[in-house]
Amino acid sequence: MDKFIIEGEKRLEGEVEIKGAKNSTLPILAATLLTEDEFIIENIPRVKDIFTMKRVLETLGVSISIEDDTAYIDTRGTVGYEAPYELVKQMRASYYVLGPLLSRLGRARVSLPGGCAIGSRPIDLHIKGLKALGADISIVHGYIEAYGKSLDGSNIPLEGQNGPSVGATINTMMASVRANGVTVIEGAAMEPEVVDVANFLKECGANIQGAGSSKIKIRGIGKLSGCKYRVIPDRIESGTFAIAVAITKGDVIIRRAESGHIKTVLDKLKEIGADISLGDDWIGVKMVRDIMPTNIETAPHPGFPTDMQAQFTSLLSLANGVSIVKDKIFEERFMHVPELVRMGADLKREGDYVIIKGVPYLSGAEVMASDLRASAALLIAGLAAEGTTKISRIYHIDRGYEKIEDRLAVLGASIWRLKE
Ligand code: UD1
């Protein structure tokens, strides 16, 4: 298993380009199953999760090749209906084939994803959405089995106890674009990735209104066609770089980014003392002051994203005062906390929040990555820490960030990958 070795305390300076959004590429690739045609999907990130989705599609019989940042997909011919445990256990988002397969074949069998490092992660809302369209769903031998020869549009209140679900909104939207009649998803997730998937489906001919609001209206059409589509920039990658710049007191232009997608994160960066400048497709981040403390509570979009909570915790561990970071979306998403403590951070977890007492410096240590965003948090801490940080299990970071070490090195970080 590879490790990252980081010699900290190097200022990040220069320019970096943001890759396409992993979390919209995954459902867009799955959505190509909705019809028999050819697709070209541009600006996809070359990260492990995308290659796992490629394997899922290939297992189903789809022809897909990825050259540079473009995927060429041919979904013509017969496709299978089963996504096996072997692949789903590697990546929960494999469940995105459920809606498209059900729509195309009237049948899907997808392994239940199970829990993960950030909590139990139920999928009841995905099942609720598909059932509301008339699908018959049962859990058999660890698999979700869905049948529904003819799906019918319906009014679906989809919001769960912890708020709207990105995954359930997208799965239900994908299943309904070819259903009979009109579907209205109430309590829909409003994340930019939902909008991106809707825009892709519209490019294929789907009739969708309201994506990006809490009410999405889908008028089913008989057939979709293939298309060429360009994925939006990854907002979480943009935010992760922005925080890395702030913690190293750097000065970087983040290019090919969409600042409107991470407004709350940029506002928080301003609050803690960063200078933020914005252009059409770039974000300038410069930090010359001491880091000021702040409080953060994650919330569904347009609130502060749960996917940025761990990285911001690293930043605030060096703030000039006390901060509180609360995550009610994934209450167990604090695996980075004990690792940051090993680096000298003064953090105390109390249920769904962490009290952060800022310390003057972090010290490099051997730490272990536990999930995608927690590993980004350790990386950020390592960039600022005195001495050497060794991060093991970095396959977690490779799931979502493309060649992060090379791109940080270009900005002046001293980081390299130890192959083991
Ligand atoms: C997606 C993102 C993930 C991000 C999350 C929240 C992908 C591949 N992953 O995950 O990076 O952290 O959105 O922005 O896009 N819930 C239920 N029942 C369900 C589904 C979800 O109760 O059937 C709950 C979850 O436990 C959580 C909340 O709803 O508390 C939001 O989760 P959801 O938006 O579904 O997250 P994902 O789509 O899995």
Side-chain angles (χ1 to χ4, degrees), residues 18 41 78 124 132 153 179 184 254 259 277 294 311 325:
I18 295 307
I41 314 296
T78 311
D124 55 310
V184 177
I254 301 170
S259 58
S277 47
T294 186
Q311 301 91 314
V325 170

Side-chain angles (χ1 to χ4, degrees), residues 129-130 132-134 151-158 169 171-186 207-209 215-221:
L130 300 179
L133 295 170
L151 299 178
D152 293 314
S154 168
N155 243 47
I156 314 176
L158 205 54
T169 301
N171 235 339
T172 308
M173 186 167 72
M174 293 190 293
S176 62
V177 285
R178 292 182 63 185
N180 304 313
V182 175
T183 298
V184 177
I185 303 176
E186 313 244 17
N207 186 335
I208 303 174
Q209 287 164 8
K215 187 170 173 178
I216 304 180
K217 188 172 169 187
I218 303 131
R219 191 175 293 276
I221 57 159

Side-chain angles (χ1 to χ4, degrees), residues 22-24 26-27 49 92-93 95-96 118 120-127 160-168 170 189 191 193 235-236 299-301 305-307 328-331 333 372-373 399:
K22 168 181 88 72
N23 286 352
S24 47
L26 290 170
D49 274 6
R92 294 177 50 79
Y95 57 45
Y96 274 135
I118 65 172
S120 62
R121 308 211 50 187
I123 57 152
D124 55 310
L125 297 173
H126 295 244
I127 293 174
Q161 265 183 343
N162 285 358
S165 160
V166 175
I170 292 177
E191 270 67 4
E193 293 76 18
R235 65 194 168 105
I236 306 302
H301 193 78
T306 168
D307 281 353
K328 287 205 295 193
I329 299 180
F330 294 115
E331 291 159 12
R333 194 169 213 176
L372 174 55
R373 306 305 170 186
R399 284 189 40 218

Side-chain angles (χ1 to χ4, degrees), residues 272-324:
I272 62 98
D275 294 322
I276 305 289
S277 47
L278 302 179
D280 272 357
D281 66 346
W282 57 265
I283 303 165
V285 184
K286 185 174 177 181
M287 186 75 177
V288 285
R289 301 181 193 89
D290 284 348
I291 301 167
M292 297 306 292
T294 186
N295 297 331
I296 285 174
E297 182 167 342
T298 65
H301 193 78
F304 190 94
T306 168
D307 281 353
M308 301 262 36
Q309 175 265 107
Q311 301 91 314
F312 226 98
T313 299
S314 295
L315 178 62
L316 293 174
S317 68
L318 286 173
N320 214 341
V322 179
S323 309
I324 293 179

Side-chain angles (χ1 to χ4, degrees), residues 63-354:
S63 153
I64 166 168
S65 66
I66 298 180
E67 291 165 29
D68 298 325
D69 67 353
T70 303
Y72 300 87
I73 304 169
D74 187 345
T75 57
R76 290 172 298 186
T78 311
V79 296
Y81 60 85
E82 180 168 318
Y85 178 61
E86 153 69 13
L87 289 171
V88 180
K89 75 175 184 204
Q90 288 178 34
M91 184 186 65
R92 294 177 50 79
S94 308
Y95 57 45
Y96 274 135
V97 299
L98 193 55
L101 285 178
L102 184 64
S103 167
R104 174 165 167 170
L105 304 172
R107 177 176 195 190
R109 187 167 189 267
V110 175
S111 172
L112 271 172
C116 73
I118 65 172
S120 62
R121 308 211 50 187
I123 57 152
D124 55 310
L125 297 173
H126 295 244
I127 293 174
K128 181 180 178 185
L130 300 179
K131 270 191 175 167
L133 295 170
D136 184 8
I137 299 194
S138 46
I139 308 290
V140 186
H141 303 307
Y143 279 73
I144 309 163
E145 295 195 348
Y147 294 90
K149 277 288 164 218
S150 158
L151 299 178
D152 293 314
S154 168
N155 243 47
I156 314 176
L158 205 54
E159 189 159 340
Q161 265 183 343
N162 285 358
S165 160
V166 175
T169 301
I170 292 177
N171 235 339
T172 308
M173 186 167 72
M174 293 190 293
S176 62
V177 285
R178 292 182 63 185
N180 304 313
V182 175
T183 298
V184 177
I185 303 176
E186 313 244 17
M190 304 193 283
E191 270 67 4
E193 293 76 18
V194 175
V195 179
D196 205 23
V197 178
N199 286 341
F200 163 74
L201 292 169
K202 286 200 247 182
E203 202 60 41
C204 299
N207 186 335
I208 303 174
Q209 287 164 8
S213 75
S214 62
K215 187 170 173 178
I216 304 180
K217 188 172 169 187
I218 303 131
R219 191 175 293 276
I221 57 159
K223 195 165 162 33
L224 297 175
S225 54
C227 71
K228 184 171 175 178
Y229 188 76
R230 187 170 180 84
V231 173
I232 56 169
D234 195 307
R235 65 194 168 105
I236 306 302
E237 192 181 79
S238 307
T240 302
F241 272 106
I243 293 170
V245 176
I247 203 170
T248 62
K249 303 273 166 79
D251 184 0
V252 169
I253 303 285
I254 301 170
R255 296 211 177 270
R256 294 172 69 173
E258 174 55 65
S259 58
H261 291 169
I262 50 163
K263 187 174 178 310
T264 42
V265 176
L266 297 177
D267 286 348
K268 279 289 167 193
L269 281 170
K270 282 186 207 161
E271 206 180 310
I272 62 98
D275 294 322
I276 305 289
S277 47
L278 302 179
D280 272 357
D281 66 346
W282 57 265
I283 303 165
V285 184
K286 185 174 177 181
M287 186 75 177
V288 285
R289 301 181 193 89
D290 284 348
I291 301 167
M292 297 306 292
T294 186
N295 297 331
I296 285 174
E297 182 167 342
T298 65
H301 193 78
F304 190 94
T306 168
D307 281 353
M308 301 262 36
Q309 175 265 107
Q311 301 91 314
F312 226 98
T313 299
S314 295
L315 178 62
L316 293 174
S317 68
L318 286 173
N320 214 341
V322 179
S323 309
I324 293 179
V325 170
K326 188 167 186 173
D327 196 338
K328 287 205 295 193
I329 299 180
F330 294 115
E331 291 159 12
E332 296 303 319
R333 194 169 213 176
F334 292 108
M335 302 285 279
H336 48 287
V337 168
E339 300 302 298
L340 290 174
V341 168
R342 300 190 63 252
M343 297 178 73
D346 184 346
L347 310 179
K348 189 159 177 252
R349 180 179 165 195
E350 302 265 0
D352 61 6
Y353 64 92
V354 188

